[in-house]
Amino acid sequence: MYTQPTYEVDTVLAARSGDRAAVDELVRDHLPLVYNIAGRALDGHPDVDDVVQETMARVVGGLPGLRDPESFRSWLVAITMSQVRDWQRARTPADSVLDEVRGMADAGADFVGVTVIQLGLSGQRKETAEATRWLDPDDRQVLSLWWLEVAGRLSRAELAAGLGVSEQHAAVRVQRMKRRLESSRAVVRAVSASPRCGALAEVTIGWDGAPSSLWRKRISKHVRECGTCADQRADLVPVEGLLAGLGLVALPAGLSLGLLVKGKAATAAGLAGTSLATKPIAVAAIGVTVIAGGAAVVQTLQPAQAPRPRAVASSPAPTPARASPTAAVPSSPAPAASPTPTPARTRTRSRYGSVVDVVDHAPPRNRPPAPLPARAAGTLRISGKHGYSRHGGAPR
């Protein structure tokens, strides 16, 4: 069982108060956990990275409002599972067909295959990983949390928070999922046997070889009634002993640290200066974000060009006086500095200049304005409250 260290609570307290280094540390430490939960719950769908990004954006944006720092992990797991359910509700049967046509369910997105390879699973551990393909989506959600509980990464309270139920109800759901998982392990053992049972070959006539809950029930019924297939499951080890102590699946390259949290959430939390950003294929850099009345205005910039030196409006460079056919009008002298101390100005640096909380002195009269600073090419995107797009994952 996972035991929360004391330093983690201190990090949450610092992050909640706006410490950017603490926010980075929280994301770095918990990003693999979020990825493993979402990856296993969504069976490695290519939209997993979008779900993880949206989850971490909500976590960073909601940190200032977190009341109990000790409940951070439960809160994090609950947000992750909420995003998983939102993604599943947003999908329609047509989406699954389109995914197959577009070839989105490729081997690189196969979370079970990645788990087997990265964790070096073999024997019954590998069979258990293969058996997870036969579970229903609801059972896969429970499995995504229970797998981590058995591996010592989550507590039962955190599992229950992720499912949104009490610990007693969570125990019931876990037991139901385990029965179906054990049944799926027997199915995997039976269909992979060589030679395969002759009676099973008749049962599976018309089966395309793809795991499904319907064929799990049919094949499982045969395994229970067939003496040959039943003997093959006699040596199955309890799954808890197989999963105990397993590590986490490593993050893919597209979800490495520093390419994660959406700029709008970071800015909303006052954390835009952290090292967190979006995926490189989604938004290259976040310039300015304004959130008001439920709408967000996001200015995106190209990162290839470095910012050029810009003129300071409060002290423009002197320019030669323009000739006039009548008479030259002398420039008014700059106002003298006030002897009274002026309040310190807080500046927030951006690509387009400086934002100040007091007004600078006006330039001398009749002096032409200084040239505008060079600006990188960019786009302006305005969006309001959103969910997942129909066929492209999280909005970009």
Side-chain angles (χ1 to χ4, degrees), residues 98-285:
L98 288 175
D99 287 350
E100 295 179 2
V101 172
R102 295 172 179 174
M104 295 182 69
D106 57 356
D110 183 0
F111 197 86
V112 173
V114 172
T115 301
V116 171
I117 294 174
Q118 287 196 9
L119 302 184
L121 303 186
S122 61
Q124 293 194 28
R125 283 192 174 93
K126 182 178 179 180
E127 288 179 349
T128 301
E130 296 287 348
T132 62
R133 302 179 189 272
W134 295 81
L135 296 178
D136 298 330
D138 290 343
D139 286 333
R140 199 174 291 121
Q141 289 184 21
V142 180
L143 173 70
S144 67
L145 299 175
W146 180 74
W147 182 301
L148 295 172
E149 181 192 18
V150 176
R153 306 285 177 167
L154 288 180
S155 67
R156 177 51 61 94
E158 291 163 350
L159 181 149
L163 297 178
V165 297
S166 65
E167 293 189 30
Q168 291 77 11
H169 190 186
V172 173
R173 294 191 60 180
V174 166
Q175 288 301 321
R176 292 174 181 171
M177 181 275 300
K178 286 176 59 179
R179 286 197 297 268
R180 296 186 181 100
L181 181 60
E182 293 296 339
S183 175
S184 299
R185 293 177 64 194
V187 168
V188 170
R189 177 69 65 88
V191 299
S192 60
S194 181
R196 183 179 295 181
C197 172
L200 179 59
E202 297 180 1
V203 173
T204 55
I205 293 177
W207 178 44
D208 60 359
S212 67
S213 59
L214 175 61
W215 283 102
R216 183 196 73 224
K217 295 174 184 177
R218 292 181 178 179
I219 299 174
S220 179
K221 181 176 183 296
H222 165 80
V223 170
R224 290 194 302 269
E225 298 173 351
C226 175
T228 302
C229 296
D231 291 341
Q232 294 178 352
R233 58 181 297 183
D235 63 338
L236 291 178
V237 177
V239 68
E240 291 89 345
L242 298 174
L243 302 182
L246 285 181
L248 298 177
V249 175
L251 297 173
L255 278 177
S256 58
L257 183 64
L259 300 174
L260 182 64
V261 176
K262 295 188 175 181
K264 62 182 181 181
T267 303
L271 305 171
T274 63
S275 64
L276 311 178
T278 58
K279 283 198 313 181
I281 61 173
V283 179

Side-chain angles (χ1 to χ4, degrees), residues 46-61:
D47 283 351
V48 166
D49 54 352
D50 293 322
V51 173
V52 173
Q53 284 188 22
E54 189 69 22
T55 298
M56 299 309 295
R58 292 180 181 273
V59 169
V60 174

Side-chain angles (χ1 to χ4, degrees), residues 263-265 267-268 289-297:
K264 62 182 181 181
T267 303
T289 304
V290 179
I291 297 181
V297 181

